Amino acid sequence: SQKIEQNSEALNIQEGKTATLTCNYTNYSPAYLQWYRQDPGRGPVFLLLIRENEKEKRKERLKVTFDTTLKQSLFHITASQPADSATYLCALENYGGSQGNLIFGKGTKLSVKP
Amino acid sequence: DVKVTQSSRYLVKRTGEKVFLECVQDMDHENMFWYRQDPGLGLRLIYFSYDVKMKEKGDIPEGYSVSREKKERFSLILESASTNQTSMYLCASSFSKLAGGFADTQYFGPGTRLTVL
């Protein structure tokens, strides 16, 4: 079955630096991969989706890359701010499951210090 | 904007009680999901539904049941609550598969923090 891993449980960085979060998966390569943000006590919120034929995708200070050879996605936040502090989840299709079924990583908790 | 609402933000119940968690979405989504989220375990899928009156078991369905009588509403039922069901419960919804047949973006509710004493 598909497995998804986010290498770091927690990442601490200084304000203004670039945060880089990693998502690795095993087995099959998905057609696309999604990133979500979750604040404490709240539900996840969708941020970005990148397709397998897209090497890179950007949205404001966010950048996502997708390397199907390495079976890895990187999520970057440039010029990070304390307000970026949250848990970030990656997700992809639970292949073999019924339609619409995503599998989520356990998340990386990002703390941006002023 | 898509809105997914859950009936309670916080809920305290006693062991053995029957518990209903309600979820409503306002975007005519076909798919609806119930997850629980625990520290160190991440999001785990309990049940999902891809149409009215349809349901499928997720990874951890034991001790739970669901009901989807209307498209916009998906209920999670704990038939006899136990202390190990203390958790954050999250409901989500999505459109049916994108063109090409793959999982779509999910929209989550705010969550219900359930404590079973």
Side-chain angles (χ1 to χ4, degrees), chain B:
Chain B
D1 279 350
V2 175
K3 190 151 187 189
V4 180
T5 57
Q6 294 184 228
S7 49
S8 304
R9 289 301 312 277
Y10 300 94
L11 207 53
V12 179
K13 296 291 181 180
R14 297 210 173 271
T15 301
E17 280 192 80
K18 190 169 186 175
V19 182
F20 292 86
L21 302 182
E22 303 283 337
C23 175
V24 177
Q25 51 94 3
D26 67 357
M27 281 301 292
D28 203 35
H29 285 171
E30 288 82 5
N31 302 328
M32 295 189 76
F33 309 83
W34 275 107
Y35 296 88
R36 64 178 283 178
Q37 188 174 35
D38 302 285
L41 297 177
L43 279 166
R44 292 184 290 167
L45 182 64
I46 304 171
Y47 267 97
F48 60 102
S49 167
Y50 51 88
D51 202 350
V52 176
K53 296 192 186 293
M54 304 300 287
K55 60 185 178 184
E56 295 240 359
K57 293 180 181 179
D59 300 318
I60 51 163
E62 296 77 21
Y64 303 94
S65 61
V66 290
S67 171
R68 192 162 181 206
E69 296 296 319
K70 293 185 178 182
K71 191 175 185 181
E72 68 271 18
R73 188 179 297 268
F74 192 34
S75 301
L76 179 70
I77 303 150
L78 287 66
E79 295 290 342
S80 177
S82 63
T83 54
N84 63 13
Q85 292 179 309
T86 292
S87 186
M88 169 69 104
Y89 288 88
L90 290 158
C91 174
S93 70
S94 72
F95 288 110
S96 56
K97 286 185 177 182
L98 293 174
F102 300 103
D104 202 348
T105 299
Q106 292 188 10
Y107 297 86
F108 285 82
T112 295
R113 173 76 63 185
L114 173 67
T115 302
V116 183
L117 301 174

Side-chain angles (χ1 to χ4, degrees), chain A:
Chain A
S1 61
Q2 180 68 291
K3 291 197 188 305
I4 185 168
E5 282 186 10
Q6 294 186 247
N7 290 0
S8 302
E9 283 192 17
L11 180 65
N12 299 311
I13 64 167
Q14 207 65 34
E15 182 176 7
K17 301 292 186 185
T18 296
T20 298
L21 285 63
T22 305
C23 177
N24 295 291
Y25 57 91
T26 59
N27 300 331
Y28 73 94
S29 280
Y32 56 81
L33 189 144
Q34 304 180 33
W35 283 90
Y36 291 75
R37 168 181 172 142
Q38 187 174 21
D39 291 289
R42 299 285 180 179
V45 175
F46 171 74
L47 293 175
L48 280 170
L49 179 153
I50 184 165
R51 299 177 188 274
E52 62 178 340
N53 60 350
E54 297 174 314
K55 296 297 182 192
E56 180 181 299
K57 197 151 189 183
R58 291 176 186 262
K59 179 182 176 183
E60 297 173 353
R61 293 184 295 109
L62 308 180
K63 184 179 86 172
V64 174
T65 62
F66 193 6
D67 188 327
T68 55
T69 302
L70 292 178
K71 296 189 175 182
Q72 181 180 83
S73 175
L74 298 179
F75 178 83
H76 306 272
I77 305 175
T78 58
S80 59
Q81 304 166 0
D84 295 325
S85 298
T87 296
Y88 293 87
L89 309 172
C90 64
L92 45 81
E93 184 183 23
N94 187 9
Y95 193 71
S98 295
Q99 63 183 37
N101 193 346
L102 290 175
I103 182 171
F104 287 84
K106 292 181 181 178
T108 297
K109 184 176 181 179
L110 173 67
S111 296
V112 181
K113 305 296 183 188

